[in-house]
Amino acid sequence: MSEIQAALKFKSPSAFDFERIRADFPILNLAVNDKPLVYLDNAASSQMPQQVIDRLVRYQTTQHANINRAVHHLSEVATSEFEEARRKLQHFINAKEEREVIFTSGTTDAINLVMHGYGRKFIGAGDEIILTTLEHHSNIVPWQMLAEEKGAKIRVVPINDAGELLIDEYEKLFNERTKFVGVMHVSNALGTINPIKEMIAFAHARGVPVLVDGAQATPHMKVDVQDLDCDFYAFSGHKLCGPTGIGILYGRAALLENMQPFKGGGDMILSVTFEKTLYNTIPHKFEAGTPPIAAAIGLGAAVDYLSEIGMDAIAAYELSLLKNATEQINAMPGVRILGTAEHKAAVLSFAVDGVHPHDIGTLLNQEGIAVRTGHHCAQPIMQRLHVPATSRASFAFYNSMDEVDALIAGIRTVQKIFT
Amino acid sequence: MTNYKSLYQEVILDHNKKPRNYGAIEHPSHHAVGHNPLCGDHISVDVDLGDERINNIAFQGESCAICKASASMMTTAVKGKTRAEAETLIQEFLAMATGKLTHNACPNIGRLAVFAGVSDLPTRVKCAILPWHTLSGAFNAVETTSTEAEEDPMHAPIGDA
């Protein structure tokens, strides 16, 4: 038994009752290739507890109708449950007002909303947008599209070999043409936790708004958008034990009110004639068409579930998983961790000498272990680290210390096959 | 379900470790580069095609074991064959790897049957067929090809997060 396992054993069970939590996730009982499933691809998508599955079933069997429309009973119930979910999300990230919480289809959709709604209105020829080397493609490509359309320029914050942003270089990128900053909170490829609060303060001192891609941060830590003082914060439901097809854009009310709508259609209007259309107030201005109502309500149930465990308890437990895995991998000859930032979330990218990540992925899968292999939608990082791809194990609070050991044993098996 | 281990057989591991015909040909008559944008892998194939037969063939590049072994075994299989024979083998290999034909239904497949199991691994089929796709591109003067190209039999982009 490792030191960490021993420490956890003596921790009060009420603080973090692992066995009870584990039992909430039916999918984790699956066998893959006749081995117990070891699901370590949580950064790509997390699994759903029974409580959220039950909530979806209850909505669909007793509460479903379209929202914001009819006066009949079910429509009123669905509307009220949908808006209740918005309030749950508001509290989850500590947004000041519920109208600052916009339902989107996910982080990508949320960033595209800001690009179209804010960027196309306020960023012009010769203006500069600051992004970082760590960004996921979803926080690069929309801004490239905007830069191409407007004749704006993208400036990129470099990283060091550990995968940490060079904050001095970030600060040097600012000038009078800087109009926007896009930065991820936690790197999906390397796990780096970026010092976004300081970065936001620096940008704000120069009057520049900041969008934070929080897709990988919200599952791992307590996020407080008022404390961060960010202007936009985007994240996805399916990485938070919720359904796919739902995500959140938090935006400061004053900014959202001045933005162009992203999509036109029903629900986002006050009145429509062929001469003139009046847009609805926020958040509805940005929620055209029938939203994924069930998914939004499911996400509300998911953040209830996470909040009940406590994001701080989740963060502490996941760090013990990360520490254990990091120590064990560091002790293995021929295995190298990519991303060694001082502040990391429970994401572990690694390379095995002489073995291509895809071969690692296939062989670990044979042991029932699910990891991600590839470029993690972050090709600029791969270029910077001079690797075509990595293997990535990403942990969630429902992973056990035994599963860390299974990963280590799996990597040893891979090495044995390739020697 | 195929036991994945069966894919990583001795012969494939051996060709990965000691790839045959690895490198470039100085003045190839045919040449192409193949990309797998899903993983960033790429290989180049050089062919010296005489009047009758493939006099020489070589490949190089960055790739996983499945792709490298497939390329290595491809070069040994087609060297000395006519272009028509090589093209028949390309068709048989693609059909076997994509599960359209069993290896028993491919009369020329021979030792390449070790790749039959890849048809059960949709995410790895592209690794096995990239060299064959690239050789086909070289024959047809398509200098750059991709597993994501329209004509690719496995055309099915895999999204990710």
Side-chain angles (χ1 to χ4, degrees), chain A residues 271-329:
Chain A
S271 70
V272 176
T273 66
F274 278 103
E275 287 69 43
K276 182 157 179 66
T277 289
L278 288 178
Y279 299 135
N280 205 338
T281 52
I282 61 168
H284 311 292
K285 182 169 83 172
F286 296 107
E287 294 178 353
T290 298
I293 306 165
I297 291 168
L299 178 55
V303 299
D304 272 352
Y305 178 82
L306 295 172
S307 300
E308 200 177 305
I309 298 169
M311 290 311 297
D312 289 335
I314 285 173
Y317 176 71
E318 287 182 354
L319 278 181
S320 68
L321 291 173
L322 178 69
K323 186 163 178 279
N324 181 355
T326 304
E327 281 169 4
Q328 292 204 59
I329 289 185

Short mmCIF file of all heavy atoms in Angstrom, two decimals, chain A residues 271-329:
data_model
loop_
_atom_site.label_atom_id
_atom_site.label_comp_id
_atom_site.label_asym_id
_atom_site.label_seq_id
_atom_site.Cartn_x
_atom_site.Cartn_y
_atom_site.Cartn_z
N SER A 271 -39.72 40.59 -31.35
CA SER A 271 -40.74 40.70 -32.40
C SER A 271 -40.06 40.61 -33.75
O SER A 271 -38.90 41.01 -33.90
CB SER A 271 -41.47 42.04 -32.27
OG SER A 271 -40.60 43.09 -32.63
N VAL A 272 -40.79 40.07 -34.71
CA VAL A 272 -40.25 39.92 -36.06
C VAL A 272 -41.24 40.47 -37.07
O VAL A 272 -42.42 40.09 -37.08
CB VAL A 272 -39.97 38.43 -36.39
CG1 VAL A 272 -39.51 38.28 -37.84
CG2 VAL A 272 -38.93 37.85 -35.45
N THR A 273 -40.80 41.41 -37.91
CA THR A 273 -41.53 41.75 -39.13
C THR A 273 -40.49 41.69 -40.22
O THR A 273 -39.28 41.61 -39.94
CB THR A 273 -42.12 43.19 -39.08
OG1 THR A 273 -41.02 44.11 -39.05
CG2 THR A 273 -43.01 43.38 -37.87
N PHE A 274 -40.94 41.72 -41.48
CA PHE A 274 -39.94 41.69 -42.56
C PHE A 274 -39.17 43.00 -42.65
O PHE A 274 -38.14 43.06 -43.28
CB PHE A 274 -40.60 41.31 -43.89
CG PHE A 274 -40.77 39.81 -44.01
CD1 PHE A 274 -42.01 39.21 -43.82
CD2 PHE A 274 -39.66 38.99 -44.24
CE1 PHE A 274 -42.15 37.84 -43.88
CE2 PHE A 274 -39.80 37.62 -44.30
CZ PHE A 274 -41.04 37.04 -44.12
N GLU A 275 -39.67 44.02 -41.97
CA GLU A 275 -38.94 45.29 -41.96
C GLU A 275 -37.88 45.31 -40.86
O GLU A 275 -36.76 45.75 -41.08
CB GLU A 275 -39.91 46.47 -41.76
CG GLU A 275 -40.76 46.80 -42.97
CD GLU A 275 -41.80 45.72 -43.27
OE1 GLU A 275 -42.43 45.22 -42.32
OE2 GLU A 275 -41.93 45.34 -44.44
N LYS A 276 -38.26 44.83 -39.67
CA LYS A 276 -37.31 44.91 -38.57
C LYS A 276 -37.58 43.84 -37.51
O LYS A 276 -38.72 43.56 -37.18
CB LYS A 276 -37.40 46.30 -37.92
CG LYS A 276 -36.39 46.48 -36.80
CD LYS A 276 -36.07 47.93 -36.54
CE LYS A 276 -35.07 48.09 -35.41
NZ LYS A 276 -33.75 47.54 -35.70
N THR A 277 -36.48 43.27 -37.00
CA THR A 277 -36.59 42.29 -35.92
C THR A 277 -35.95 42.85 -34.66
O THR A 277 -34.86 43.42 -34.71
CB THR A 277 -35.90 40.98 -36.33
OG1 THR A 277 -36.69 40.36 -37.34
CG2 THR A 277 -35.75 40.03 -35.16
N LEU A 278 -36.68 42.74 -33.56
CA LEU A 278 -36.11 43.17 -32.28
C LEU A 278 -35.62 41.94 -31.54
O LEU A 278 -36.36 40.97 -31.39
CB LEU A 278 -37.18 43.88 -31.44
CG LEU A 278 -37.58 45.28 -31.91
CD1 LEU A 278 -38.68 45.83 -31.01
CD2 LEU A 278 -36.38 46.23 -31.92
N TYR A 279 -34.37 41.99 -31.08
CA TYR A 279 -33.79 40.84 -30.41
C TYR A 279 -34.25 40.78 -28.97
O TYR A 279 -34.51 41.81 -28.34
CB TYR A 279 -32.26 40.90 -30.46
CG TYR A 279 -31.72 40.89 -31.86
CD1 TYR A 279 -30.71 41.77 -32.23
CD2 TYR A 279 -32.23 40.01 -32.81
CE1 TYR A 279 -30.20 41.77 -33.51
CE2 TYR A 279 -31.74 40.01 -34.10
CZ TYR A 279 -30.73 40.89 -34.45
OH TYR A 279 -30.24 40.89 -35.72
N ASN A 280 -34.29 39.57 -28.44
CA ASN A 280 -34.66 39.32 -27.06
C ASN A 280 -33.54 39.81 -26.12
O ASN A 280 -32.43 40.11 -26.56
CB ASN A 280 -34.90 37.82 -26.87
CG ASN A 280 -35.85 37.53 -25.72
OD1 ASN A 280 -36.02 38.34 -24.82
ND2 ASN A 280 -36.47 36.37 -25.76
N THR A 281 -33.83 39.85 -24.85
CA THR A 281 -32.81 40.21 -23.85
C THR A 281 -31.89 39.01 -23.62
O THR A 281 -32.20 37.88 -24.01
CB THR A 281 -33.50 40.56 -22.52
OG1 THR A 281 -34.37 39.49 -22.18
CG2 THR A 281 -34.29 41.85 -22.64
N ILE A 282 -30.74 39.27 -22.96
CA ILE A 282 -29.85 38.16 -22.61
C ILE A 282 -30.47 37.38 -21.45
O ILE A 282 -31.18 37.97 -20.65
CB ILE A 282 -28.43 38.66 -22.24
CG1 ILE A 282 -28.50 39.59 -21.02
CG2 ILE A 282 -27.78 39.37 -23.41
CD1 ILE A 282 -27.14 39.89 -20.41
N PRO A 283 -30.26 36.10 -21.35
CA PRO A 283 -29.42 35.25 -22.20
C PRO A 283 -30.11 34.77 -23.48
O PRO A 283 -29.48 34.19 -24.35
CB PRO A 283 -29.15 34.05 -21.28
CG PRO A 283 -30.40 33.93 -20.46
CD PRO A 283 -30.88 35.33 -20.24
N HIS A 284 -31.46 35.06 -23.59
CA HIS A 284 -32.24 34.44 -24.67
C HIS A 284 -31.78 34.89 -26.06
O HIS A 284 -31.95 34.17 -27.04
CB HIS A 284 -33.72 34.75 -24.46
CG HIS A 284 -34.17 34.45 -23.06
ND1 HIS A 284 -34.23 33.18 -22.56
CD2 HIS A 284 -34.50 35.28 -22.02
CE1 HIS A 284 -34.60 33.22 -21.28
NE2 HIS A 284 -34.76 34.49 -20.93
N LYS A 285 -31.19 36.09 -26.13
CA LYS A 285 -30.68 36.60 -27.41
C LYS A 285 -29.70 35.62 -28.04
O LYS A 285 -29.54 35.57 -29.26
CB LYS A 285 -29.99 37.95 -27.16
CG LYS A 285 -29.44 38.63 -28.39
CD LYS A 285 -29.03 40.06 -28.11
CE LYS A 285 -27.64 40.15 -27.52
NZ LYS A 285 -27.14 41.55 -27.42
N PHE A 286 -29.04 34.83 -27.18
CA PHE A 286 -28.01 33.90 -27.69
C PHE A 286 -28.48 32.45 -27.69
O PHE A 286 -27.67 31.54 -27.85
CB PHE A 286 -26.74 34.05 -26.85
CG PHE A 286 -26.12 35.41 -26.95
CD1 PHE A 286 -26.20 36.31 -25.89
CD2 PHE A 286 -25.48 35.81 -28.11
CE1 PHE A 286 -25.64 37.56 -25.98
CE2 PHE A 286 -24.91 37.07 -28.21
CZ PHE A 286 -24.99 37.95 -27.15
N GLU A 287 -29.77 32.25 -27.50
CA GLU A 287 -30.27 30.86 -27.44
C GLU A 287 -31.37 30.66 -28.48
O GLU A 287 -32.53 30.40 -28.16
CB GLU A 287 -30.76 30.53 -26.03
CG GLU A 287 -29.62 30.51 -25.01
CD GLU A 287 -30.08 30.23 -23.58
OE1 GLU A 287 -31.30 30.17 -23.32
OE2 GLU A 287 -29.19 30.06 -22.71
N ALA A 288 -30.98 30.77 -29.75
CA ALA A 288 -31.95 30.62 -30.84
C ALA A 288 -32.38 29.16 -30.97
O ALA A 288 -31.58 28.25 -30.82
CB ALA A 288 -31.32 31.09 -32.15
N GLY A 289 -33.65 28.97 -31.25
CA GLY A 289 -34.15 27.62 -31.50
C GLY A 289 -34.40 26.86 -30.21
O GLY A 289 -34.09 27.33 -29.12
N THR A 290 -34.97 25.67 -30.35
CA THR A 290 -35.23 24.84 -29.17
C THR A 290 -33.91 24.31 -28.64
O THR A 290 -33.17 23.66 -29.37
CB THR A 290 -36.16 23.67 -29.53
OG1 THR A 290 -37.40 24.21 -29.98
CG2 THR A 290 -36.40 22.77 -28.33
N PRO A 291 -33.58 24.60 -27.41
CA PRO A 291 -32.29 24.14 -26.87
C PRO A 291 -32.35 22.66 -26.49
O PRO A 291 -33.44 22.08 -26.46
CB PRO A 291 -32.12 25.01 -25.62
CG PRO A 291 -33.51 25.30 -25.18
CD PRO A 291 -34.36 25.35 -26.42
N PRO A 292 -31.21 22.06 -26.18
CA PRO A 292 -31.23 20.69 -25.65
C PRO A 292 -31.72 20.73 -24.20
O PRO A 292 -30.92 20.79 -23.27
CB PRO A 292 -29.77 20.23 -25.76
CG PRO A 292 -28.97 21.48 -25.87
CD PRO A 292 -29.86 22.60 -26.30
N ILE A 293 -33.03 20.71 -24.02
CA ILE A 293 -33.63 20.94 -22.70
C ILE A 293 -33.22 19.84 -21.72
O ILE A 293 -32.79 20.13 -20.60
CB ILE A 293 -35.18 20.99 -22.82
CG1 ILE A 293 -35.59 22.02 -23.89
CG2 ILE A 293 -35.83 21.33 -21.47
CD1 ILE A 293 -37.03 21.89 -24.34
N ALA A 294 -33.35 18.60 -22.17
CA ALA A 294 -33.01 17.48 -21.28
C ALA A 294 -31.55 17.56 -20.87
O ALA A 294 -31.21 17.36 -19.70
CB ALA A 294 -33.28 16.15 -21.99
N ALA A 295 -30.68 17.90 -21.83
CA ALA A 295 -29.24 17.96 -21.55
C ALA A 295 -28.94 19.06 -20.54
O ALA A 295 -28.11 18.90 -19.64
CB ALA A 295 -28.46 18.17 -22.83
N ALA A 296 -29.63 20.20 -20.67
CA ALA A 296 -29.41 21.30 -19.73
C ALA A 296 -29.83 20.88 -18.32
O ALA A 296 -29.12 21.13 -17.34
CB ALA A 296 -30.19 22.53 -20.19
N ILE A 297 -30.98 20.23 -18.23
CA ILE A 297 -31.47 19.78 -16.92
C ILE A 297 -30.54 18.70 -16.35
O ILE A 297 -30.24 18.69 -15.15
CB ILE A 297 -32.94 19.31 -17.04
CG1 ILE A 297 -33.82 20.53 -17.33
CG2 ILE A 297 -33.40 18.56 -15.80
CD1 ILE A 297 -35.24 20.21 -17.75
N GLY A 298 -30.06 17.83 -17.23
CA GLY A 298 -29.10 16.81 -16.80
C GLY A 298 -27.81 17.44 -16.29
O GLY A 298 -27.24 17.00 -15.28
N LEU A 299 -27.37 18.50 -16.95
CA LEU A 299 -26.15 19.18 -16.50
C LEU A 299 -26.38 19.83 -15.14
O LEU A 299 -25.50 19.82 -14.27
CB LEU A 299 -25.69 20.21 -17.54
CG LEU A 299 -24.45 21.03 -17.17
CD1 LEU A 299 -23.26 20.14 -16.84
CD2 LEU A 299 -24.09 21.99 -18.31
N GLY A 300 -27.59 20.36 -14.95
CA GLY A 300 -27.94 20.92 -13.64
C GLY A 300 -27.81 19.85 -12.55
O GLY A 300 -27.25 20.10 -11.47
N ALA A 301 -28.31 18.65 -12.85
CA ALA A 301 -28.21 17.55 -11.88
C ALA A 301 -26.75 17.16 -11.66
O ALA A 301 -26.35 16.81 -10.55
CB ALA A 301 -29.02 16.35 -12.37
N ALA A 302 -25.94 17.23 -12.73
CA ALA A 302 -24.52 16.86 -12.62
C ALA A 302 -23.77 17.82 -11.70
O ALA A 302 -22.97 17.39 -10.87
CB ALA A 302 -23.88 16.82 -14.01
N VAL A 303 -24.03 19.12 -11.84
CA VAL A 303 -23.30 20.05 -10.97
C VAL A 303 -23.81 19.96 -9.53
O VAL A 303 -23.04 20.18 -8.59
CB VAL A 303 -23.29 21.52 -11.50
CG1 VAL A 303 -22.61 21.58 -12.85
CG2 VAL A 303 -24.67 22.13 -11.53
N ASP A 304 -25.09 19.58 -9.35
CA ASP A 304 -25.58 19.29 -7.99
C ASP A 304 -24.78 18.14 -7.39
O ASP A 304 -24.36 18.19 -6.23
CB ASP A 304 -27.06 18.86 -8.04
CG ASP A 304 -28.00 20.05 -7.95
OD1 ASP A 304 -27.52 21.18 -7.71
OD2 ASP A 304 -29.22 19.85 -8.16
N TYR A 305 -24.60 17.10 -8.22
CA TYR A 305 -23.88 15.91 -7.76
C TYR A 305 -22.44 16.27 -7.36
O TYR A 305 -21.96 15.88 -6.29
CB TYR A 305 -23.89 14.86 -8.87
CG TYR A 305 -23.13 13.60 -8.53
CD1 TYR A 305 -23.72 12.59 -7.77
CD2 TYR A 305 -21.81 13.43 -8.95
CE1 TYR A 305 -23.01 11.45 -7.44
CE2 TYR A 305 -21.10 12.28 -8.63
CZ TYR A 305 -21.71 11.30 -7.87
OH TYR A 305 -21.01 10.17 -7.54
N LEU A 306 -21.78 17.02 -8.24
CA LEU A 306 -20.38 17.40 -7.97
C LEU A 306 -20.27 18.31 -6.75
O LEU A 306 -19.36 18.17 -5.93
CB LEU A 306 -19.77 18.11 -9.19
CG LEU A 306 -19.63 17.26 -10.46
CD1 LEU A 306 -19.20 18.12 -11.64
CD2 LEU A 306 -18.64 16.13 -10.24
N SER A 307 -21.22 19.23 -6.63
CA SER A 307 -21.17 20.16 -5.51
C SER A 307 -21.38 19.45 -4.19
O SER A 307 -20.84 19.84 -3.16
CB SER A 307 -22.23 21.25 -5.69
OG SER A 307 -21.99 21.95 -6.89
N GLU A 308 -22.21 18.39 -4.23
CA GLU A 308 -22.46 17.64 -3.00
C GLU A 308 -21.17 16.97 -2.51
O GLU A 308 -20.89 16.95 -1.32
CB GLU A 308 -23.55 16.61 -3.24
CG GLU A 308 -24.20 16.13 -1.96
CD GLU A 308 -25.32 15.15 -2.23
OE1 GLU A 308 -26.25 15.50 -2.99
OE2 GLU A 308 -25.24 14.03 -1.70
N ILE A 309 -20.40 16.43 -3.44
CA ILE A 309 -19.10 15.85 -3.05
C ILE A 309 -18.16 16.99 -2.65
O ILE A 309 -17.41 16.87 -1.68
CB ILE A 309 -18.47 15.06 -4.22
CG1 ILE A 309 -19.38 13.89 -4.61
CG2 ILE A 309 -17.08 14.55 -3.86
CD1 ILE A 309 -18.97 13.22 -5.91
N GLY A 310 -18.23 18.07 -3.40
CA GLY A 310 -17.38 19.23 -3.13
C GLY A 310 -16.22 19.29 -4.10
O GLY A 310 -15.43 18.33 -4.19
N MET A 311 -16.09 20.37 -4.83
CA MET A 311 -15.03 20.48 -5.83
C MET A 311 -13.65 20.50 -5.16
O MET A 311 -12.67 20.03 -5.74
CB MET A 311 -15.22 21.73 -6.70
CG MET A 311 -16.40 21.68 -7.66
SD MET A 311 -16.52 20.16 -8.67
CE MET A 311 -15.01 20.24 -9.63
N ASP A 312 -13.57 21.01 -3.95
CA ASP A 312 -12.27 21.01 -3.27
C ASP A 312 -11.85 19.60 -2.90
O ASP A 312 -10.67 19.22 -3.04
CB ASP A 312 -12.31 21.90 -2.03
CG ASP A 312 -12.39 23.38 -2.40
OD1 ASP A 312 -11.95 23.73 -3.52
OD2 ASP A 312 -12.90 24.18 -1.59
N ALA A 313 -12.82 18.79 -2.45
CA ALA A 313 -12.51 17.39 -2.11
C ALA A 313 -12.12 16.62 -3.38
O ALA A 313 -11.19 15.80 -3.36
CB ALA A 313 -13.72 16.73 -1.45
N ILE A 314 -12.83 16.91 -4.48
CA ILE A 314 -12.51 16.27 -5.76
C ILE A 314 -11.08 16.63 -6.17
O ILE A 314 -10.28 15.77 -6.55
CB ILE A 314 -13.54 16.69 -6.84
CG1 ILE A 314 -14.86 15.95 -6.59
CG2 ILE A 314 -13.01 16.46 -8.25
CD1 ILE A 314 -16.02 16.39 -7.47
N ALA A 315 -10.76 17.91 -6.10
CA ALA A 315 -9.42 18.37 -6.50
C ALA A 315 -8.34 17.69 -5.66
O ALA A 315 -7.32 17.23 -6.19
CB ALA A 315 -9.33 19.89 -6.38
N ALA A 316 -8.57 17.61 -4.34
CA ALA A 316 -7.55 17.02 -3.45
C ALA A 316 -7.36 15.54 -3.77
O ALA A 316 -6.23 15.06 -3.86
CB ALA A 316 -7.98 17.21 -2.00
N TYR A 317 -8.46 14.83 -3.97
CA TYR A 317 -8.34 13.40 -4.26
C TYR A 317 -7.65 13.17 -5.62
O TYR A 317 -6.76 12.32 -5.73
CB TYR A 317 -9.73 12.73 -4.26
CG TYR A 317 -9.65 11.28 -4.66
CD1 TYR A 317 -9.07 10.34 -3.80
CD2 TYR A 317 -10.08 10.86 -5.91
CE1 TYR A 317 -8.96 9.01 -4.16
CE2 TYR A 317 -9.97 9.52 -6.28
CZ TYR A 317 -9.41 8.61 -5.41
OH TYR A 317 -9.28 7.29 -5.78
N GLU A 318 -8.05 13.95 -6.63
CA GLU A 318 -7.44 13.78 -7.95
C GLU A 318 -5.94 14.08 -7.92
O GLU A 318 -5.17 13.44 -8.63
CB GLU A 318 -8.14 14.69 -8.97
CG GLU A 318 -9.52 14.19 -9.34
CD GLU A 318 -10.19 15.05 -10.39
OE1 GLU A 318 -9.63 16.11 -10.76
OE2 GLU A 318 -11.28 14.68 -10.83
N LEU A 319 -5.56 15.04 -7.11
CA LEU A 319 -4.13 15.35 -7.01
C LEU A 319 -3.36 14.18 -6.41
O LEU A 319 -2.21 13.92 -6.78
CB LEU A 319 -3.89 16.62 -6.20
CG LEU A 319 -4.08 17.91 -7.00
CD1 LEU A 319 -3.80 19.12 -6.13
CD2 LEU A 319 -3.17 17.95 -8.24
N SER A 320 -4.00 13.45 -5.49
CA SER A 320 -3.32 12.28 -4.92
C SER A 320 -3.17 11.19 -6.00
O SER A 320 -2.16 10.50 -6.03
CB SER A 320 -4.07 11.76 -3.69
OG SER A 320 -5.31 11.21 -4.04
N LEU A 321 -4.16 11.07 -6.89
CA LEU A 321 -4.03 10.13 -8.01
C LEU A 321 -2.88 10.54 -8.92
O LEU A 321 -2.05 9.73 -9.34
CB LEU A 321 -5.32 10.09 -8.85
CG LEU A 321 -6.58 9.47 -8.25
CD1 LEU A 321 -7.76 9.70 -9.19
CD2 LEU A 321 -6.41 7.96 -8.03
N LEU A 322 -2.85 11.84 -9.24
CA LEU A 322 -1.82 12.36 -10.14
C LEU A 322 -0.43 12.17 -9.55
O LEU A 322 0.51 11.75 -10.24
CB LEU A 322 -2.07 13.85 -10.42
CG LEU A 322 -1.04 14.54 -11.31
CD1 LEU A 322 -1.14 14.03 -12.75
CD2 LEU A 322 -1.21 16.06 -11.30
N LYS A 323 -0.31 12.45 -8.25
CA LYS A 323 0.98 12.34 -7.59
C LYS A 323 1.46 10.88 -7.63
O LYS A 323 2.61 10.61 -7.99
CB LYS A 323 0.85 12.83 -6.14
CG LYS A 323 2.15 12.91 -5.37
CD LYS A 323 1.98 13.79 -4.13
CE LYS A 323 3.24 13.85 -3.30
NZ LYS A 323 3.41 12.69 -2.41
N ASN A 324 0.58 9.98 -7.31
CA ASN A 324 0.90 8.56 -7.32
C ASN A 324 1.35 8.13 -8.73
O ASN A 324 2.42 7.52 -8.90
CB ASN A 324 -0.34 7.77 -6.87
CG ASN A 324 -0.10 6.26 -6.82
OD1 ASN A 324 0.95 5.78 -7.20
ND2 ASN A 324 -1.10 5.54 -6.36
N ALA A 325 0.56 8.49 -9.75
CA ALA A 325 0.89 8.09 -11.12
C ALA A 325 2.20 8.71 -11.58
O ALA A 325 3.04 8.06 -12.21
CB ALA A 325 -0.25 8.49 -12.07
N THR A 326 2.40 9.98 -11.24
CA THR A 326 3.62 10.68 -11.64
C THR A 326 4.85 10.02 -11.02
O THR A 326 5.85 9.77 -11.70
CB THR A 326 3.55 12.17 -11.22
OG1 THR A 326 2.37 12.74 -11.79
CG2 THR A 326 4.76 12.95 -11.70
N GLU A 327 4.76 9.73 -9.73
CA GLU A 327 5.90 9.10 -9.05
C GLU A 327 6.22 7.73 -9.67
O GLU A 327 7.39 7.41 -9.91
CB GLU A 327 5.59 8.93 -7.55
CG GLU A 327 5.78 10.23 -6.77
CD GLU A 327 5.23 10.15 -5.35
OE1 GLU A 327 4.77 9.07 -4.94
OE2 GLU A 327 5.26 11.19 -4.67
N GLN A 328 5.19 6.96 -9.94
CA GLN A 328 5.43 5.62 -10.49
C GLN A 328 6.01 5.70 -11.90
O GLN A 328 6.91 4.94 -12.25
CB GLN A 328 4.13 4.81 -10.50
CG GLN A 328 3.63 4.44 -9.10
CD GLN A 328 2.74 3.21 -9.14
OE1 GLN A 328 3.18 2.15 -9.58
NE2 GLN A 328 1.52 3.34 -8.71
N ILE A 329 5.50 6.62 -12.73
CA ILE A 329 6.02 6.73 -14.10
C ILE A 329 7.44 7.27 -14.09
O ILE A 329 8.30 6.80 -14.85
CB ILE A 329 5.08 7.58 -14.98
CG1 ILE A 329 3.80 6.79 -15.25
CG2 ILE A 329 5.77 7.99 -16.29
CD1 ILE A 329 2.83 7.44 -16.19
#
